[in-house]
PDB file of all heavy atoms in Angstrom:
ATOM      1  N   ARG T1401      11.002   9.649   4.945  1.00 98.00           N
ATOM      2  CA  ARG T1401      11.818  10.265   5.942  1.00 98.00           C
ATOM      3  C   ARG T1401      12.110   9.256   7.121  1.00 98.00           C
ATOM      4  O   ARG T1401      12.845   9.651   8.078  1.00 98.00           O
ATOM      5  CB  ARG T1401      11.044  11.480   6.520  1.00 98.00           C
ATOM      6  CG  ARG T1401      10.887  12.558   5.505  1.00 98.00           C
ATOM      7  CD  ARG T1401      10.086  13.694   6.012  1.00 98.00           C
ATOM      8  NE  ARG T1401       9.941  14.781   5.023  1.00 98.00           N
ATOM      9  CZ  ARG T1401       9.018  15.672   4.995  1.00 98.00           C
ATOM     10  NH1 ARG T1401       8.010  15.596   5.930  1.00 98.00           N
ATOM     11  NH2 ARG T1401       8.898  16.587   4.037  1.00 98.00           N
ATOM     12  N   ILE T1402      11.504   8.080   7.040  1.00 98.00           N
ATOM     13  CA  ILE T1402      11.692   7.045   8.096  1.00 98.00           C
ATOM     14  C   ILE T1402      12.694   5.977   7.672  1.00 98.00           C
ATOM     15  O   ILE T1402      13.522   5.547   8.461  1.00 98.00           O
ATOM     16  CB  ILE T1402      10.323   6.396   8.418  1.00 98.00           C
ATOM     17  CG1 ILE T1402       9.232   7.404   8.663  1.00 98.00           C
ATOM     18  CG2 ILE T1402      10.468   5.396   9.610  1.00 98.00           C
ATOM     19  CD1 ILE T1402       9.456   8.358   9.819  1.00 98.00           C
ATOM     20  N   ILE T1403      12.655   5.540   6.437  1.00 97.00           N
ATOM     21  CA  ILE T1403      13.478   4.408   5.964  1.00 97.00           C
ATOM     22  C   ILE T1403      14.255   4.828   4.701  1.00 97.00           C
ATOM     23  O   ILE T1403      13.782   5.659   3.914  1.00 97.00           O
ATOM     24  CB  ILE T1403      12.715   3.123   5.783  1.00 97.00           C
ATOM     25  CG1 ILE T1403      11.620   3.289   4.756  1.00 97.00           C
ATOM     26  CG2 ILE T1403      12.102   2.606   7.102  1.00 97.00           C
ATOM     27  CD1 ILE T1403      10.828   2.054   4.395  1.00 97.00           C
ATOM     28  N   GLY T1404      15.318   4.102   4.453  1.00 96.00           N
ATOM     29  CA  GLY T1404      16.090   4.329   3.280  1.00 96.00           C
ATOM     30  C   GLY T1404      15.717   3.343   2.168  1.00 96.00           C
ATOM     31  O   GLY T1404      14.932   2.449   2.371  1.00 96.00           O
ATOM     32  N   PRO T1405      16.223   3.473   0.975  1.00 97.00           N
ATOM     33  CA  PRO T1405      15.905   2.697  -0.208  1.00 97.00           C
ATOM     34  C   PRO T1405      16.175   1.188   0.020  1.00 97.00           C
ATOM     35  O   PRO T1405      15.363   0.359  -0.475  1.00 97.00           O
ATOM     36  CB  PRO T1405      16.718   3.198  -1.317  1.00 97.00           C
ATOM     37  CG  PRO T1405      17.497   4.377  -0.807  1.00 97.00           C
ATOM     38  CD  PRO T1405      17.204   4.582   0.648  1.00 97.00           C
ATOM     39  N   GLY T1406      17.274   0.863   0.635  1.00 98.00           N
ATOM     40  CA  GLY T1406      17.612  -0.577   0.756  1.00 98.00           C
ATOM     41  C   GLY T1406      16.599  -1.335   1.594  1.00 98.00           C
ATOM     42  O   GLY T1406      16.011  -2.403   1.190  1.00 98.00           O
ATOM     43  N   LEU T1407      16.151  -0.763   2.767  1.00 98.00           N
ATOM     44  CA  LEU T1407      15.103  -1.363   3.565  1.00 98.00           C
ATOM     45  C   LEU T1407      13.831  -1.340   2.963  1.00 98.00           C
ATOM     46  O   LEU T1407      12.995  -2.256   2.891  1.00 98.00           O
ATOM     47  CB  LEU T1407      15.089  -0.626   4.924  1.00 98.00           C
ATOM     48  CG  LEU T1407      14.052  -1.146   5.911  1.00 98.00           C
ATOM     49  CD1 LEU T1407      14.147  -2.675   6.174  1.00 98.00           C
ATOM     50  CD2 LEU T1407      14.120  -0.374   7.236  1.00 98.00           C
ATOM     51  N   ALA T1408      13.527  -0.241   2.270  1.00 98.00           N
ATOM     52  CA  ALA T1408      12.254  -0.116   1.509  1.00 98.00           C
ATOM     53  C   ALA T1408      12.099  -1.173   0.446  1.00 98.00           C
ATOM     54  O   ALA T1408      11.061  -1.795   0.322  1.00 98.00           O
ATOM     55  CB  ALA T1408      12.078   1.309   0.880  1.00 98.00           C
ATOM     56  N   GLN T1409      13.164  -1.425  -0.317  1.00 98.00           N
ATOM     57  CA  GLN T1409      13.083  -2.528  -1.325  1.00 98.00           C
ATOM     58  C   GLN T1409      12.882  -3.920  -0.700  1.00 98.00           C
ATOM     59  O   GLN T1409      12.094  -4.651  -1.140  1.00 98.00           O
ATOM     60  CB  GLN T1409      14.338  -2.483  -2.138  1.00 98.00           C
ATOM     61  CG  GLN T1409      14.518  -1.301  -3.030  1.00 98.00           C
ATOM     62  CD  GLN T1409      15.832  -1.251  -3.746  1.00 98.00           C
ATOM     63  OE1 GLN T1409      16.719  -2.136  -3.588  1.00 98.00           O
ATOM     64  NE2 GLN T1409      15.998  -0.223  -4.586  1.00 98.00           N
ATOM     65  N   GLU T1410      13.539  -4.129   0.458  1.00 98.00           N
ATOM     66  CA  GLU T1410      13.269  -5.413   1.131  1.00 98.00           C
ATOM     67  C   GLU T1410      11.933  -5.554   1.629  1.00 98.00           C
ATOM     68  O   GLU T1410      11.247  -6.597   1.520  1.00 98.00           O
ATOM     69  CB  GLU T1410      14.386  -5.627   2.239  1.00 98.00           C
ATOM     70  CG  GLU T1410      14.339  -7.017   2.794  1.00 98.00           C
ATOM     71  CD  GLU T1410      14.756  -8.109   1.822  1.00 98.00           C
ATOM     72  OE1 GLU T1410      15.243  -7.777   0.712  1.00 98.00           O
ATOM     73  OE2 GLU T1410      14.499  -9.223   2.169  1.00 98.00           O
ATOM     74  N   ILE T1411      11.363  -4.474   2.210  1.00 98.00           N
ATOM     75  CA  ILE T1411       9.948  -4.448   2.607  1.00 98.00           C
ATOM     76  C   ILE T1411       9.028  -4.834   1.528  1.00 98.00           C
ATOM     77  O   ILE T1411       8.139  -5.575   1.672  1.00 98.00           O
ATOM     78  CB  ILE T1411       9.632  -3.095   3.354  1.00 98.00           C
ATOM     79  CG1 ILE T1411      10.307  -3.050   4.674  1.00 98.00           C
ATOM     80  CG2 ILE T1411       8.084  -2.903   3.472  1.00 98.00           C
ATOM     81  CD1 ILE T1411      10.331  -1.687   5.306  1.00 98.00           C
ATOM     82  N   VAL T1412       9.184  -4.060   0.343  1.00 98.00           N
ATOM     83  CA  VAL T1412       8.361  -4.303  -0.798  1.00 98.00           C
ATOM     84  C   VAL T1412       8.433  -5.748  -1.239  1.00 98.00           C
ATOM     85  O   VAL T1412       7.435  -6.387  -1.605  1.00 98.00           O
ATOM     86  CB  VAL T1412       8.743  -3.284  -1.962  1.00 98.00           C
ATOM     87  CG1 VAL T1412       8.160  -3.677  -3.263  1.00 98.00           C
ATOM     88  CG2 VAL T1412       8.359  -1.919  -1.525  1.00 98.00           C
ATOM     89  N   ARG T1413       9.674  -6.227  -1.375  1.00 98.00           N
ATOM     90  CA  ARG T1413       9.843  -7.625  -1.822  1.00 98.00           C
ATOM     91  C   ARG T1413       9.107  -8.638  -0.943  1.00 98.00           C
ATOM     92  O   ARG T1413       8.316  -9.463  -1.429  1.00 98.00           O
ATOM     93  CB  ARG T1413      11.402  -7.992  -1.965  1.00 98.00           C
ATOM     94  CG  ARG T1413      11.646  -9.395  -2.492  1.00 98.00           C
ATOM     95  CD  ARG T1413      13.032  -9.818  -2.346  1.00 98.00           C
ATOM     96  NE  ARG T1413      13.359  -9.920  -0.980  1.00 98.00           N
ATOM     97  CZ  ARG T1413      12.940 -10.948  -0.124  1.00 98.00           C
ATOM     98  NH1 ARG T1413      12.215 -11.917  -0.543  1.00 98.00           N
ATOM     99  NH2 ARG T1413      13.390 -11.060   1.136  1.00 98.00           N
ATOM    100  N   ILE T1414       9.276  -8.465   0.353  1.00 98.00           N
ATOM    101  CA  ILE T1414       8.641  -9.388   1.259  1.00 98.00           C
ATOM    102  C   ILE T1414       7.098  -9.259   1.175  1.00 98.00           C
ATOM    103  O   ILE T1414       6.339 -10.243   1.171  1.00 98.00           O
ATOM    104  CB  ILE T1414       9.073  -9.094   2.734  1.00 98.00           C
ATOM    105  CG1 ILE T1414      10.542  -9.578   2.925  1.00 98.00           C
ATOM    106  CG2 ILE T1414       8.173  -9.754   3.758  1.00 98.00           C
ATOM    107  CD1 ILE T1414      11.237  -9.104   4.166  1.00 98.00           C
ATOM    108  N   TRP T1415       6.671  -7.985   1.158  1.00 98.00           N
ATOM    109  CA  TRP T1415       5.250  -7.790   1.098  1.00 98.00           C
ATOM    110  C   TRP T1415       4.600  -8.365  -0.145  1.00 98.00           C
ATOM    111  O   TRP T1415       3.464  -8.897  -0.128  1.00 98.00           O
ATOM    112  CB  TRP T1415       4.985  -6.245   1.178  1.00 98.00           C
ATOM    113  CG  TRP T1415       3.500  -5.856   1.226  1.00 98.00           C
ATOM    114  CD1 TRP T1415       2.603  -5.969   2.298  1.00 98.00           C
ATOM    115  CD2 TRP T1415       2.813  -5.274   0.172  1.00 98.00           C
ATOM    116  NE1 TRP T1415       1.432  -5.470   1.900  1.00 98.00           N
ATOM    117  CE2 TRP T1415       1.474  -5.027   0.700  1.00 98.00           C
ATOM    118  CE3 TRP T1415       3.108  -4.880  -1.128  1.00 98.00           C
ATOM    119  CZ2 TRP T1415       0.478  -4.507  -0.093  1.00 98.00           C
ATOM    120  CZ3 TRP T1415       2.102  -4.301  -1.885  1.00 98.00           C
ATOM    121  CH2 TRP T1415       0.796  -4.057  -1.403  1.00 98.00           C
ATOM    122  N   LEU T1416       5.268  -8.229  -1.269  1.00 98.00           N
ATOM    123  CA  LEU T1416       4.774  -8.755  -2.573  1.00 98.00           C
ATOM    124  C   LEU T1416       4.791 -10.254  -2.567  1.00 98.00           C
ATOM    125  O   LEU T1416       3.949 -10.933  -3.199  1.00 98.00           O
ATOM    126  CB  LEU T1416       5.529  -8.147  -3.744  1.00 98.00           C
ATOM    127  CG  LEU T1416       5.232  -6.671  -4.030  1.00 98.00           C
ATOM    128  CD1 LEU T1416       6.231  -6.172  -5.069  1.00 98.00           C
ATOM    129  CD2 LEU T1416       3.827  -6.434  -4.443  1.00 98.00           C
ATOM    130  N   GLU T1417       5.789 -10.877  -1.949  1.00 98.00           N
ATOM    131  CA  GLU T1417       5.972 -12.324  -2.058  1.00 98.00           C
ATOM    132  C   GLU T1417       5.185 -13.102  -1.015  1.00 98.00           C
ATOM    133  O   GLU T1417       5.015 -14.299  -1.139  1.00 98.00           O
ATOM    134  CB  GLU T1417       7.458 -12.652  -1.923  1.00 98.00           C
ATOM    135  CG  GLU T1417       8.280 -12.228  -3.159  1.00 98.00           C
ATOM    136  CD  GLU T1417       9.748 -12.485  -3.019  1.00 98.00           C
ATOM    137  OE1 GLU T1417      10.182 -13.020  -1.952  1.00 98.00           O
ATOM    138  OE2 GLU T1417      10.537 -12.132  -3.985  1.00 98.00           O
TER     139      GLU T1417
END
Side-chain angles (χ1 to χ4, degrees):
R1401 295 175 180 157
I1402 309 298
I1403 58 174
L1407 178 55
Q1409 289 176 359
E1410 189 62 15
I1411 287 168
V1412 166
R1413 185 191 61 75
I1414 291 168
W1415 184 75
L1416 290 172
E1417 292 177 357

